[in-house]
Amino acid sequence: MTYHAMLLPGMVMLFIFSIVPMFGVVMAFQKFIPAKGIFGSAWAGLDNFTYMFQLPDAKQIFVNTLVIAVGKIVLGLIVPIVFALLLNEVRLKLFKSTIQTIVYLPHFMSWVVLGTMLTMIFSFDGMINNFLEFLGLERIMFLASNDWFRPLLIVTDTWKEFGYGTIVYLAALTAINPALYESAAMDGASRWKQTLNITLPGMFPTIILLGTLSLGNVLNAGFDQVFNLYNPLVYETGDIIDTFVYRMGLINMQYSFATAIGLMKSVISFILIVISYRLASRYAGYRIF
């Protein structure tokens, strides 16, 4: 009974900050006016959703979200695997743990701090452009170019998070039986052959698990990162669902329309999470319930 009572503060916090705000989704079906409140505002039915699909920007925002999120998932899956394989070949434990710690550090930094740093580094007068000029190349407006903004978002997000993924894959490598490597070495297999036939198959369940679970976040392109790096010049390629909801809801004060967009995103994300959970259960044996 004592252990169950320890759950009470967490459950109260969950109810207040996660369950109670859910009643606000009713605004998506209203012409919400703050002075009248939820109970006094007129009903609009599905008008907000209809307007959302008729909006010319809606398709572009959905494409931006999908391209940025899928790019982050793909690169965020490949880079940690390659880095974990390379780091696994290092035999000096002190050097290995030092590198592991250094690449893990950005995971703990907020995008407010990193956004400021990256803005300084990639600005027109920043370090990267000074280096390009030193090489005799022209300066590039990375943060104001629709050609460069999406790759910049994907690469910087991968740089921030690949240390965390590397630790997960290194943990998966420790589960591989060392006797397999000894047998392969006695048979004359090179390190490359051992990697292809022992290491990668050993990591495969973890790769499948993380890959399928990441499908649930395919519509989460990263509000914090985009919000701290984008500007009106790159809305064409950088504006995602979350930043669009922020601008519509808090800046333009179209509360009902912003709620309708957020609700639509949540429904699609829930469906994707269910699909990814079933895929993880089927191909990696991962089950919560």
Side-chain angles (χ1 to χ4, degrees):
M1 184 64 185
T2 304
Y3 294 114
H4 289 86
M6 293 173 66
L7 294 173
L8 187 60
M11 294 178 68
V12 170
M13 294 284 286
L14 183 70
F15 179 77
I16 293 175
F17 294 105
S18 298
I19 304 300
V20 173
M22 286 295 294
F23 293 103
V25 299
V26 73
M27 292 166 56
F29 305 94
Q30 291 181 323
K31 293 181 179 178
F32 179 74
I33 299 175
K36 296 183 178 179
I38 291 178
F39 297 103
S41 299
W43 285 96
L46 298 176
D47 289 353
N48 291 315
F49 296 92
T50 305
Y51 177 61
M52 176 177 62
F53 289 112
Q54 292 175 344
L55 200 67
D57 295 339
K59 181 181 177 182
Q60 187 62 47
I61 291 165
F62 184 77
V63 170
N64 290 343
T65 305
L66 208 57
V67 170
I68 294 171
V70 171
K72 287 180 179 180
I73 290 173
V74 172
L75 202 62
L77 200 63
I78 295 174
V79 173
I81 294 172
V82 175
F83 194 77
L85 291 174
L86 294 174
L87 202 59
N88 191 49
E89 297 299 317
V90 177
R91 293 293 172 259
L92 295 174
K93 289 187 177 180
L94 180 61
F95 179 74
K96 184 177 179 178
S97 58
T98 303
I99 295 295
Q100 193 172 323
T101 303
I102 291 173
V103 300
Y104 191 33
L105 283 178
H107 173 74
F108 297 101
M109 299 176 71
S110 74
W111 275 113
V112 177
V113 177
L114 289 178
T116 305
M117 292 171 56
L118 292 172
T119 300
M120 295 172 64
I121 293 172
F122 287 96
S123 67
F124 194 71
D125 298 323
M127 184 174 65
I128 299 297
N129 273 316
N130 288 338
F131 183 69
L132 291 176
E133 189 179 43
F134 174 77
L135 296 177
L137 302 174
E138 293 185 359
R139 290 177 179 266
I140 300 172
M141 298 181 68
F142 291 102
L143 297 172
S145 168
N146 284 308
D147 294 329
W148 284 96
F149 192 69
R150 278 180 188 163
L152 185 68
L153 290 176
I154 294 170
V155 171
T156 53
D157 182 77
T158 303
W159 165 76
K160 182 177 184 293
E161 300 296 341
F162 87 95
Y164 177 80
T166 299
I167 290 177
V168 174
Y169 289 118
L170 284 174
L173 288 173
T174 60
I176 300 175
N177 189 354
L180 295 175
Y181 292 104
E182 294 173 3
S183 301
M186 291 178 65
D187 290 339
S190 63
R191 293 298 298 176
W192 175 244
K193 291 286 186 183
Q194 293 177 29
T195 301
L196 287 179
N197 297 297
I198 300 175
T199 307
L200 284 178
M203 296 172 65
F204 195 65
T206 305
I207 296 172
I208 293 294
L209 174 63
L210 295 182
T212 51
L213 290 180
S214 64
L215 289 177
N217 292 320
V218 76
L219 290 184
N220 290 322
F223 171 80
D224 294 344
Q225 181 195 19
V226 177
F227 181 74
N228 284 286
L229 291 176
Y230 85 154
N231 58 76
L233 294 175
V234 291
Y235 278 175
E236 183 182 344
T237 56
D239 200 15
I240 60 174
I241 295 175
D242 291 334
T243 53
F244 186 70
V245 168
Y246 165 78
R247 285 191 291 111
M248 290 296 109
L250 297 183
I251 296 180
N252 296 340
M253 293 186 289
Q254 298 184 33
Y255 303 112
S256 295
F257 180 53
T259 306
I261 300 172
L263 179 60
M264 178 61 71
K265 179 199 166 189
S266 298
V267 171
I268 297 174
S269 296
F270 176 73
I271 295 171
L272 291 173
I273 288 172
V274 172
I275 294 173
S276 63
Y277 177 71
R278 290 194 175 276
L279 288 174
S281 173
R282 181 171 183 179
Y283 294 106
Y286 173 79
R287 294 187 66 86
I288 298 177
F289 304 105

